[in-house]
Amino acid sequence: MRAQVFVRLKPGVLDVQGKAIERGLAENDFSAITNIRVGKLIEFDVAATNADKAHQIVESVCQKLLANTIIENYEIKLG
Amino acid sequence: MRAQVFVRLKPGVLDVQGKAIERGLAENDFSAITNIRVGKLIEFDVAATNADKAHQIVESVCQKLLANTIIENYEIKLG
């Protein structure tokens, strides 16, 4: 089963990559684009007997390895 | 309009972040997870009169700033 995990900085946490992109956009006349946030997209295969079990494994790996839950939120998509 | 851009390394391009996560998983007994690829998730607001115009702006910013099209693919979602 293919899993997607989206890791985003929590609202209010300074996004330095986002700010850098905003500066780049301003220099390239893309004023239509605002409020940029940069996160991570992590995709992988999960071997599990059913979707519930797969979700449990992915949840555990997010907590332990993929996200820093002090400053980041994560979202899981299976399918 | 909120836009999401997913930037992924092209197939065959070495994913060093993915390899580092794979090593971390092996050390933490997550053998159920394989084939990890790490990409970027970029989210922002686009000011445009309609969806076609918004898509055009996002396409342009992907080409010029967000993706390195030699080694990366991008996917756009508007909504």
Side-chain angles (χ1 to χ4, degrees):
Chain A
M1 197 176 295
R2 196 73 181 161
Q4 289 188 314
V5 172
F6 306 97
V7 179
R8 296 176 174 94
L9 285 169
K10 289 185 179 176
V13 176
L14 179 68
D15 182 348
V16 288
Q17 279 189 85
K19 291 287 169 213
I21 293 174
E22 269 173 23
R23 197 173 306 170
L25 290 171
E27 286 167 9
N28 287 278
D29 282 330
F30 282 111
S31 57
I33 293 177
T34 49
N35 293 323
I36 303 167
R37 302 290 283 177
V38 181
K40 274 175 287 187
L41 164 66
I42 305 158
E43 296 173 308
F44 48 84
D45 293 323
V46 197
T49 45
N50 59 56
D52 275 0
K53 182 70 189 159
H55 199 278
Q56 201 179 313
I57 293 169
V58 179
E59 182 77 34
S60 170
V61 84
C62 284
Q63 288 281 346
K64 287 191 186 148
L65 204 77
L66 300 182
N68 174 353
T69 54
I70 297 168
I71 58 166
E72 292 170 329
N73 290 324
Y74 58 87
E75 179 189 349
I76 296 167
K77 276 191 191 167
L78 286 173
Chain B
M1 197 177 295
R2 196 73 181 160
Q4 289 188 314
V5 173
F6 306 97
V7 180
R8 296 176 175 94
L9 286 169
K10 288 186 179 175
V13 176
L14 179 66
D15 182 348
V16 288
Q17 279 188 85
K19 290 288 170 213
I21 293 174
E22 268 173 23
R23 197 172 307 171
L25 291 171
E27 286 167 7
N28 287 277
D29 281 330
F30 283 110
S31 58
I33 293 177
T34 49
N35 293 323
I36 303 167
R37 301 292 281 177
V38 181
K40 273 175 286 186
L41 163 67
I42 305 159
E43 297 172 308
F44 48 84
D45 294 323
V46 197
T49 45
N50 60 54
D52 275 359
K53 182 71 189 156
H55 199 279
Q56 202 178 312
I57 293 170
V58 179
E59 182 78 33
S60 171
V61 84
C62 283
Q63 288 281 346
K64 286 191 188 148
L65 204 77
L66 300 181
N68 174 353
T69 54
I70 298 168
I71 58 165
E72 292 171 330
N73 289 324
Y74 58 86
E75 180 190 348
I76 296 168
K77 277 191 190 167
L78 287 173

